[in-house]
Amino acid sequence: LAEDECSLIPYSHYWISSKRILTSQGFISGSVEINEGKIVSIVEGYGKQQGNSVQQVIDYGEAVIMPGLIDV
């Protein structure tokens, strides 16, 4: 892999889902869309269907997801 590629997630476009996603309005059950390493959208529900195919979805169950938070 190139230096700037993540070996843990081999997809350029995917969703991270959880029953507890922290947003500015509070917690939601939903999904975070990631495209080329950037957060594209945060939606309620499980991923997004495009046509007949479903994007790669990684389900974290009850784990808290905090989009945009960066570990220091």
Side-chain angles (χ1 to χ4, degrees):
L1 291 174
E3 215 174 271
D4 61 344
E5 291 184 53
C6 177
S7 63
L8 298 175
I9 310 284
Y11 308 98
S12 62
H13 187 206
Y14 59 96
W15 294 82
I16 298 174
S17 293
S18 174
K19 293 179 180 168
R20 299 188 302 163
I21 298 175
L22 183 60
T23 69
S24 58
Q25 289 79 34
F27 283 97
I28 65 166
S29 176
S31 300
V32 179
E33 180 181 11
I34 311 292
N35 193 359
E36 300 295 330
K38 296 185 176 126
I39 297 172
V40 176
S41 65
I42 301 170
V43 297
E44 289 194 60
Y46 192 78
K48 184 178 179 182
Q49 295 185 359
Q50 293 183 351
N52 293 333
S53 67
V54 175
Q55 299 290 328
Q56 175 67 27
V57 178
I58 302 162
D59 189 353
Y60 284 97
E62 295 284 334
V64 175
I65 295 176
M66 296 181 279
L69 180 69
I70 300 173
D71 293 334
V72 290

